Amino acid sequence: MPDLNTFKLSGTKLVPVNRFNLEPAKPSTAFATTTLLNNAEFKVIEHPIIHSIDIQPILVLPIIENYCPLIEGDKVITENDSFKDYFKNEITLFFPQVEVEPNNGTLFYYEEVPGKSADNGGFMGRVTLKYSIKNRPLQANEKSIVLNLRQAVLNLKVKNDVVRVNGTINTATQEIQFDLIDEAVKIAFSNLVSKINDLMCDVDLFFDFKGYSKVKRNFLFAKDIAILRNPITTKSDVMAKTTLQPKATLISSPLMVKTTRTGTVAPKMVISGIRRDNDIQAEVQEEYVKSTFLLKINKTVNYPRVPNVQTSLYWNNEGPFFNNPFNLNEDFSEFKQIFVSGYNFSKLSIYKSMVQPNTFLLISKIYSLSKDLDNMRPCVTTIFHAYEEGAGTSEEISKISFQFAVRPNLSNYDLAKLKIALLQNNFIDGDPTDYFDKVQFLFPNDVGAEFEVNGNYFLQRASITADGKHYIFDLSTENLSEASILINALNNTISQYANINFKYKEIKDTSVIELNLEETIGEIVESLIDNPTKKIKINNQSISNCKLNSILLLYNQNATYLNNAFFKNYPQLISNDTKFLDFTALNPSSSGELKNVFFDFENIENISSEFSQIVSQSTSYNRYIQVQIKSQAATTGRITIELTVQDTGSKFAIERLKSEFSTPILFNFIVKNTANNNTLISYQVNYFDKNDNLTGSKNDVFDFSKASIITINKK
């Protein structure tokens, strides 16, 4: 069994410890064009994010055995490989056979459709396939691995390139449909009937399955941020279920180090004691982790034309055909930028697909910190790595690591309103019935766009992983001053900015990354619709208050109703607060069944007001002091404070405008672990008037071993 230290219990779910639980990522790239000669070999990969594992009630009958393969090594896994079962070593597991064929005798269908002015028309078409999963002939000690089709991608071939189109999967009927427009219709027909191997289209089927693999990781001296207040930490404490903490604990100890240190015991001995108490190997930890894996199966789809029209797999609105009705144009753009009224280019760039109908590439102009799906906390983790070489009394810190996840600043409410705007501006292809379900939004990661981060020296050196809509940053530094600057920015909710530049074929676009704990992105309002009682149950899943502004109601047949007035005087939802909303109060003229609701909300956070609880959290390495600015003269419009930690030489500059004087500043810095510490901080205060003229200066020294508040008095 996997080491339970890998997971923690959250309600009825086992969720990973110290992992961001983000929404599922797409297993493949859609609409990406790659050179045939340079196609990289696809490997079965472990999903970068381990998702929650639901704990289901145990049923006495019927008993269904689930078999999970034990996957060892990192070699390429194919559909013909076999594995040992994780629980029963005597059982061998195989992948079932997957077959693909035309669906109900029709492979390809198209129609010529007119444009909006009944001229300059184009084509709309589809390729329809049926897949089947069949067990291989097996012996008594052999079993099949359960596969679930997650995504299907049709690879259309043009000269030296591949155009990929996502499919719509119906797992109940085991049908796949690929919707095409214009040039993609021509390319698909050419591929399906071609007798040249390199021009035959194929389909990639991505199946997921559960399995166990061995994970090795270097030992990190770090503790769960939720239990740092406890003076004694045991293994049972780490495994205990933690409840949502007040927002102050988010920043109470950004460096996850042991909170107490008794006597003069060197940290090296403390680390050894923790390892000994928890049976942790000094060099490497080995665990078996249950994860979701992806298996790619590729099938060629090619059916040459036959002279008998009645048996043709190719149809249009006039019936079956076998001749080629198209002139192929290989020079086309996959996306065309469109402009939708009400959506300014400074907030969102919208590109319409020229290959697949009702598909739009969105580039949000702002990327913000994401929230964790399990606890709705910001996806920010700071880890302190201990140094244990040498005598143990010199510098005891080697480096500090930061991990955080950012995502587009577009809520479900924003995307729902965008769908309505696309319909109103005539950007919906074909029949608008059920357009809410037909519209598909893609993000830069989905098309395999190249990206580069610049404009921030610290962030642009990070290792960045793309996962669905998210970018996960992982950066480490041995420069304690650099680390303290970022920690202070997070503590005081001072935004850190960077540019992220996207490049995809003819598209070049730029977004801004904003790091701010008070500006995290996530769907914090959970809603449950009860049509029989005409009520909506809502719950604030966040640890902060939530202010509701608007609600968008979606009924059957795509009827929508927007209510901006109902929440004008509605009280804020506190953390874990549950309320019930009446259908008739939201929409007095409502009729029909309510399908979905979307909320426009604000996350009301005030982290900086909690500073008084945090200063006492200082440790031997990690120090906190509070800077308070007293009431100033009316002529003073700005104050700058320059601090120097004499022990390390670290320098920090803080600026406050007149409107911010009353808000205290939480200042964090890291000191070396030496026998004789210098506990002095020298600082200079500069006073400026409203015209930005320097009106006065003050130099002073502060001893952080005797007090924890620096007071900036009136000039």
Side-chain angles (χ1 to χ4, degrees):
M1 293 292 291
D3 187 346
L4 290 179
N5 283 322
T6 310
F7 299 95
K8 63 182 177 182
L9 185 64
S10 177
T12 60
K13 291 182 178 180
L14 279 178
V15 298
V17 175
N18 292 335
R19 285 251 192 157
F20 299 148
N21 190 23
L22 307 173
E23 60 193 18
K26 283 200 170 190
S28 66
T29 302
F31 298 105
T33 300
T34 56
T35 303
L36 287 175
L37 297 177
N38 296 326
N39 272 346
E41 189 172 20
F42 181 87
K43 293 185 177 181
V44 175
I45 60 169
E46 183 177 342
H47 199 285
I49 302 298
I50 303 177
H51 301 291
S52 304
I53 301 173
D54 286 315
I55 302 174
Q56 302 294 342
I58 299 176
L59 301 177
V60 177
L61 290 173
I63 298 176
I64 301 175
E65 289 189 288
N66 291 322
Y67 299 97
C68 292
L70 175 61
I71 299 175
E72 299 180 300
D74 57 357
K75 70 181 185 66
V76 176
I77 297 179
T78 69
E79 56 188 302
N80 297 318
D81 285 341
S82 61
F83 308 90
K84 291 296 182 182
D85 181 63
Y86 178 73
F87 298 98
K88 299 179 180 179
N89 192 58
E90 67 277 9
I91 293 179
T92 303
L93 301 180
F94 295 89
F95 291 118
Q97 294 177 327
V98 177
E99 297 180 359
V100 173
E101 60 184 359
N103 186 40
N104 296 326
T106 302
L107 176 66
F108 176 84
Y109 178 84
Y110 86 98
E111 290 185 13
E112 191 169 358
V113 293
K116 293 182 177 63
S117 302
D119 57 1
N120 298 324
F123 298 105
M124 296 188 68
R126 60 176 180 259
V127 173
T128 52
L129 299 172
K130 194 173 186 68
Y131 71 95
S132 57
I133 301 176
K134 300 178 180 179
N135 289 335
R136 302 172 186 267
L138 300 173
Q139 304 296 324
N141 63 337
E142 298 175 344
K143 302 294 180 181
S144 287
I145 300 171
V146 177
L147 295 179
N148 301 297
L149 185 59
R150 278 279 304 277
Q151 187 175 357
V153 177
L154 181 66
N155 301 307
L156 301 179
K157 308 292 181 63
V158 293
K159 185 171 61 178
N160 297 327
D161 278 336
V162 177
V163 178
R164 292 181 175 141
V165 178
N166 277 330
T168 302
I169 301 170
N170 186 332
T171 55
T173 59
Q174 294 190 318
E175 296 174 343
I176 309 171
Q177 179 171 308
F178 301 94
D179 294 318
L180 312 168
I181 57 176
D182 297 335
E183 303 302 328
V185 175
K186 305 176 185 180
I187 298 170
F189 178 77
S190 175
N191 287 180
L192 291 170
V193 301
S194 176
K195 295 183 180 180
I196 301 174
N197 290 337
D198 289 343
L199 292 180
M200 296 179 181
C201 62
D202 55 57
V203 61
D204 290 330
L205 303 178
F206 292 88
F207 294 89
D208 69 15
F209 62 95
K210 301 294 183 181
Y212 285 91
S213 62
K214 183 180 293 185
V215 174
K216 292 184 178 181
R217 62 183 185 183
N218 293 326
F219 178 80
L220 301 180
F221 175 36
K223 307 303 289 183
D224 188 349
I225 199 169
I227 61 175
L228 280 177
R229 293 180 182 271
N230 300 334
I232 299 176
T233 301
T234 64
K235 186 173 183 178
S236 60
D237 293 329
V238 177
M239 291 306 301
K241 180 180 182 293
T242 57
T243 58
L244 290 178
Q245 301 293 319
K247 51 181 168 283
T249 63
L250 284 176
I251 58 173
S252 60
S253 293
L255 290 180
M256 298 190 291
V257 298
K258 194 172 176 64
T259 56
T260 59
R261 186 173 170 207
T262 58
T264 57
V265 179
K268 179 178 180 180
M269 302 302 295
V270 175
I271 298 170
S272 301
I274 293 175
R275 288 175 173 166
R276 205 167 38 248
D277 294 341
N278 293 276
D279 299 322
I280 300 173
Q281 297 180 12
E283 298 301 327
V284 174
Q285 289 175 283
E286 293 185 352
E287 301 169 345
Y288 283 98
V289 180
K290 186 177 183 180
S291 304
T292 299
F293 293 83
L294 294 175
L295 172 66
K296 173 190 169 187
I297 296 178
N298 179 271
K299 298 289 183 180
T300 299
V301 183
N302 183 262
Y303 295 86
R305 290 170 286 181
V306 294
N308 186 355
V309 174
Q310 299 304 318
T311 60
S312 176
L313 295 171
Y314 306 95
W315 288 66
N316 62 10
N317 56 330
E318 297 179 352
F321 68 93
F322 74 94
N323 61 310
N324 187 348
F326 307 114
N327 292 319
L328 183 61
N329 174 22
E330 293 182 353
D331 297 324
F332 65 96
S333 297
E334 289 191 39
F335 290 96
K336 178 179 70 175
Q337 187 169 11
I338 61 173
F339 300 92
V340 181
S341 59
Y343 288 85
N344 194 290
F345 181 73
S346 62
K347 179 182 179 181
L348 179 67
S349 297
I350 308 172
Y351 299 85
K352 191 177 189 303
S353 171
M354 298 290 99
V355 175
Q356 190 166 353
N358 300 319
T359 300
F360 302 86
L361 172 65
L362 305 182
I363 299 181
S364 172
K365 307 307 286 188
I366 298 178
Y367 276 70
S368 300
L369 278 174
S370 180
K371 287 183 180 293
D372 187 293
L373 281 180
D374 285 322
N375 54 33
M376 288 296 152
R377 294 179 179 176
C379 288
V380 179
T381 300
T382 309
I383 301 174
F384 152 76
H385 299 252
Y387 176 89
E388 62 168 340
E389 300 295 332
T393 58
S394 59
E395 294 186 29
E396 298 283 350
I397 296 178
S398 60
K399 67 178 179 179
I400 298 170
S401 294
F402 297 89
Q403 289 182 327
F404 56 88
V406 299
R407 58 168 284 186
N409 195 342
L410 293 171
S411 66
N412 289 343
Y413 176 86
D414 295 329
L415 297 178
K417 287 195 67 177
L418 178 56
K419 291 181 180 181
I420 298 173
L422 291 170
L423 176 68
Q424 294 172 342
N425 287 269
N426 297 316
F427 286 116
I428 301 299
D429 298 310
D431 185 358
T433 304
D434 293 331
Y435 73 94
F436 247 82
D437 300 323
K438 292 179 180 178
V439 170
Q440 178 181 206
F441 291 130
L442 301 176
F443 294 89
N445 290 349
D446 298 325
V447 298
E450 298 178 7
F451 64 89
E452 180 185 30
V453 174
N454 58 28
N456 186 305
Y457 170 74
F458 197 36
L459 299 185
Q460 68 194 37
R461 293 188 290 116
S463 171
I464 306 174
T465 303
D467 184 68
K469 292 186 291 187
H470 299 82
Y471 290 98
I472 302 173
F473 285 70
D474 189 341
L475 56 114
S476 299
T477 180
E478 297 180 9
N479 187 318
L480 305 188
S481 297
E482 278 188 350
S484 292
I485 289 172
L486 185 55
I487 292 170
N488 284 323
L490 294 173
N491 282 347
N492 294 283
T493 63
I494 300 171
S495 293
Q496 292 285 294
Y497 295 100
N499 294 325
I500 180 167
N501 304 306
F502 300 106
K503 182 180 180 182
Y504 178 69
K505 295 190 174 179
E506 70 274 15
I507 296 176
K508 291 184 179 180
D509 219 321
T510 299
S511 300
V512 174
I513 297 173
E514 180 181 5
L515 298 183
N516 191 320
L517 284 177
E518 289 187 350
E519 301 294 335
T520 51
I521 306 300
E523 297 299 323
I524 66 175
V525 181
E526 181 183 43
S527 61
L528 180 64
I529 299 172
D530 190 345
N531 277 290
T533 63
K534 303 294 183 182
K535 290 186 181 295
I536 304 171
K537 179 183 177 181
I538 60 175
N539 173 259
N540 176 13
Q541 304 177 88
S542 174
I543 61 176
S544 303
N545 286 6
C546 171
K547 182 180 183 297
L548 300 176
N549 296 323
S550 304
I551 185 172
L552 177 63
L553 303 139
L554 175 65
Y555 299 90
N556 284 333
Q557 287 79 47
N558 288 311
T560 58
Y561 183 81
L562 178 63
N563 190 327
N564 294 316
F566 181 82
F567 297 105
K568 185 175 182 180
N569 298 313
Y570 199 81
Q572 292 182 9
L573 292 176
I574 64 174
S575 178
N576 285 327
D577 198 7
T578 299
K579 300 286 186 182
F580 289 89
L581 306 175
D582 291 320
F583 285 13
T584 54
L586 296 170
N587 182 8
S589 60
S590 64
S591 62
E593 186 174 87
L594 186 62
K595 287 176 57 179
N596 208 342
V597 293
F598 306 93
F599 289 97
D600 180 29
F601 59 84
E602 296 178 44
N603 211 10
I604 309 299
E605 297 182 282
N606 189 11
I607 294 175
S608 59
S609 66
E610 308 289 340
F611 290 166
S612 60
Q613 304 177 28
I614 299 170
V615 173
S616 61
Q617 299 284 322
S618 293
T619 69
S620 300
Y621 305 117
N622 186 30
R623 307 293 304 194
Y624 291 96
I625 61 173
Q626 188 174 337
V627 180
Q628 292 184 347
I629 302 176
K630 292 294 185 181
S631 179
Q632 299 294 314
T635 56
T636 302
R638 179 169 67 97
I639 290 178
T640 63
I641 308 167
E642 300 172 2
L643 303 100
T644 301
V645 181
Q646 294 188 4
D647 184 48
T648 60
S650 299
K651 297 180 182 294
F652 303 94
I654 301 170
E655 180 182 79
R656 278 290 188 262
L657 301 178
K658 190 180 188 69
S659 60
E660 302 169 323
F661 287 172
S662 60
T663 303
I665 304 163
L666 184 65
F667 175 55
N668 169 270
F669 57 96
I670 304 164
V671 295
K672 300 177 181 179
N673 182 44
T674 55
N676 298 308
N677 280 344
N678 184 336
T679 60
L680 298 180
I681 294 177
S682 57
Y683 64 95
Q684 179 181 10
V685 183
N686 298 316
Y687 301 85
F688 298 85
D689 63 17
K690 62 181 181 180
N691 295 320
D692 218 23
N693 297 312
L694 180 64
T695 59
S697 232
K698 174 188 175 183
N699 292 283
D700 210 337
V701 175
F702 175 77
D703 189 342
F704 60 79
S705 67
K706 297 179 180 179
S708 59
I709 298 178
I710 296 178
T711 302
I712 308 301
N713 293 312
K714 184 176 180 181
K715 175 174 68 71

